[in-house]
Amino acid sequence: MLDILNTSPDWSGLVKPDHVDTPMYEDPAIFDAEMDKIFSRTWVWVAHISEVPDKGSFTLSYVGTQPVIVSRDRKGDVHVMVNRCRHRAATVCEIKRGKTSSFQCPYHGWGYALDGSLRGVPYTEGYADDFDKSSYGLKRLKVGIYNGMIFASFNMDVEPLEDFLGNARKWIDLFMKQGGGFPVKVNGEHQFRFPGNWKIQLENTTDAYHFPVVHKSFLQSLDAEAEKQFSFLEGEGFVEDLGNGHSVMVMMPELIDLDENLDAPIPERFEELAEELRADYDEAQVRRIVRAVGGTGFNLNLFPNAACSLSFFRILRPISVKETAIRHIAIGMDGGPEAGNRMRLRIHEHFQGPMGFGSPDDAEVWERVQRGSAGGPDLPVMVNRGLGIEKQSENGLPVGDVSAETGMRGAYRQWKRMMQG
């Protein structure tokens, strides 16, 4: 079966309405095709605008397996370029982020401007007179920015970013209300890798079904009020397919719009913070900040590599068919109160941090999925929960209860469409 798959350019038969076939996690040829047909042809999240705040700012990122530089030039324009010298392929930057006036290859000294154009070549007399520096700039990608989120694509004919995001734009706008009246900023991150396929993590972001099992220790660490809030399988939440592979899982409907219900009682765990904020802000702003600090009540999955998850960004990077890198990016309020940002970091550490209650448990089960996929290669991976009992949104797309695998099915439909191309 695998030999037949490896010779076929059409992988779409691996996706069925209620399951996907195990080679999706196992076959290196499928992984290589995904890098070409998906990650090289659609919009991929590369950075948040706060990571390149000033002229000369840059940060390193990836599009699929390809290393890129995200930079802001002297005019303030944002660029995304392949981190590879056009001469002999060395990376021209190895510093994670910072400020600079140019990039220079450490091998032979070719120098590049912030927009990627080639500016300097040592000993130019060694080249023929028709050597044209304008033809040897860093390879540039198409750049799109929506509400502070920077996307890039190798496909210069890719659809407009706003069209690709489509129904997800509403949810991005809601997620960014976590600034509490201030701009959202990146507030640190931690990174890790797990030995598993990237789609295992993609599935997880809109999988509420696992929460009371995998995250039992997290639930036990909460006070009674917070524990009740996180017992969302018994609530009125839902999962909605947003099209183009995107989906949203609403766990706490009362926290969809952080600008609403500001008159609700302040949770006990935030009362001390509220009292500290009252020294500098009026009561209306205090309530807005406190509500923003706790995060939203939903996870938004953006195909193929980004998630706006409760109160942080989760970015996946495929490394190989059986290895994936994860960035958990804390977010805060740019120019907002120190006390509020400090509280957000403590919340982030509690669940997402390397010593937290959430990420280590998630990573273990992702690894076990990959190990288990080696057994019974003829057995399918089921994504049928909620199938047949879904409703339809106003956009005509499926909506399931909060434990439904609606989001996974939507992502795999997009995978199937792109892998047919």
Side-chain angles (χ1 to χ4, degrees), residues 24-276:
M24 293 276 281
Y25 296 162
E26 292 280 334
D27 192 336
I30 294 174
F31 179 86
D32 292 342
E34 290 169 339
M35 296 307 102
D36 174 43
K37 292 177 177 290
I38 296 176
F39 282 86
S40 291
R41 300 190 190 185
T42 193
W43 290 106
V44 175
W45 193 100
V46 290
H48 186 262
I49 199 71
S50 63
E51 296 180 270
V52 285
D54 308 311
K55 297 175 182 179
S57 299
F58 68 89
T59 187
L60 301 186
S61 189
Y62 284 85
V63 173
T65 57
Q66 299 193 53
V68 298
I69 304 169
V70 184
S71 68
R72 189 185 288 273
D73 68 18
R74 290 186 176 90
K75 296 179 181 179
D77 295 329
V78 174
H79 304 271
V80 179
M81 308 158 292
V82 176
N83 190 4
R84 168 180 169 148
C85 181
R86 290 294 303 277
H87 176 222
R88 297 274 286 282
T91 58
V92 300
C93 183
E94 286 291 334
I95 300 171
K96 173 61 181 172
R97 65 175 53 92
K99 292 188 71 173
T100 187
S101 59
S102 62
F103 302 101
Q104 186 173 43
C105 176
Y107 200 178
H108 300 94
W110 283 31
Y112 300 89
L114 291 164
D115 65 358
S117 57
L118 180 60
R119 289 289 182 256
V121 177
Y123 308 110
T124 54
E125 62 273 14
Y127 292 95
D129 291 340
D130 62 353
F131 178 78
D132 182 5
K133 287 195 298 185
S134 66
S135 299
Y136 291 92
L138 299 178
K139 184 173 183 178
R140 299 177 189 173
L141 285 72
K142 192 165 187 175
V143 178
I145 303 174
Y146 184 81
N147 206 336
M149 304 180 77
I150 306 173
F151 298 80
S153 180
F154 283 101
N155 180 7
M156 294 301 166
D157 297 320
V158 69
E159 65 184 313
L161 177 61
E162 290 203 358
D163 292 349
F164 172 68
L165 294 175
N167 299 315
R169 287 178 295 161
K170 160 192 167 182
W171 295 95
I172 293 172
D173 295 343
L174 289 167
F175 188 83
M176 295 305 175
K177 289 188 177 186
Q178 291 184 67
F182 300 92
V184 166
K185 69 171 182 176
V186 166
N187 202 25
E189 67 178 87
H190 71 276
Q191 305 176 12
F192 63 96
R193 298 185 180 193
F194 73 93
N197 189 271
W198 66 277
K199 296 183 293 297
I200 295 171
Q201 197 287 296
L202 182 73
E203 297 165 0
N204 176 262
T205 301
T206 54
D207 181 355
Y209 191 31
H210 79 283
F211 205 91
V213 180
V214 175
H215 300 306
K216 184 177 181 180
S217 60
F218 167 71
L219 293 171
Q220 291 173 339
S221 73
L222 302 174
D223 61 38
E225 186 178 24
E227 183 180 5
K228 181 179 179 181
Q229 190 175 47
F230 276 90
S231 299
F232 43 76
L233 287 189
E234 303 167 7
E236 300 297 321
F238 59 90
V239 182
E240 181 177 342
D241 183 346
L242 300 174
N244 291 339
H246 316 313
S247 60
V248 65
M249 177 177 70
V250 175
M251 295 160 282
M252 307 162 201
E254 70 276 12
L255 294 176
I256 288 177
D257 190 335
L258 297 178
D259 285 342
E260 295 181 349
N261 302 321
L262 294 178
D263 292 333
I266 292 174
E268 183 179 350
R269 63 187 181 282
F270 293 132
E271 286 179 352
E272 186 175 336
L273 170 63
E275 191 58 34
E276 185 174 354

Side-chain angles (χ1 to χ4, degrees), residues 299-346:
N299 285 0
L300 172 65
N301 225 12
L302 300 175
F303 187 89
N305 76 317
C308 302
S309 183
L310 289 178
S311 59
F312 70 107
F313 297 133
R314 174 189 275 167
I315 309 301
L316 68 83
R317 173 167 65 90
I319 297 174
S320 70
V321 68
K322 296 182 182 180
E323 186 173 15
T324 304
I326 302 293
R327 296 174 64 194
H328 278 175
I329 304 173
I331 59 176
M333 299 170 281
D334 194 1
E338 180 183 349
N341 283 331
R342 184 174 63 245
M343 174 67 82
R344 285 191 65 94
L345 280 176
R346 298 295 85 80

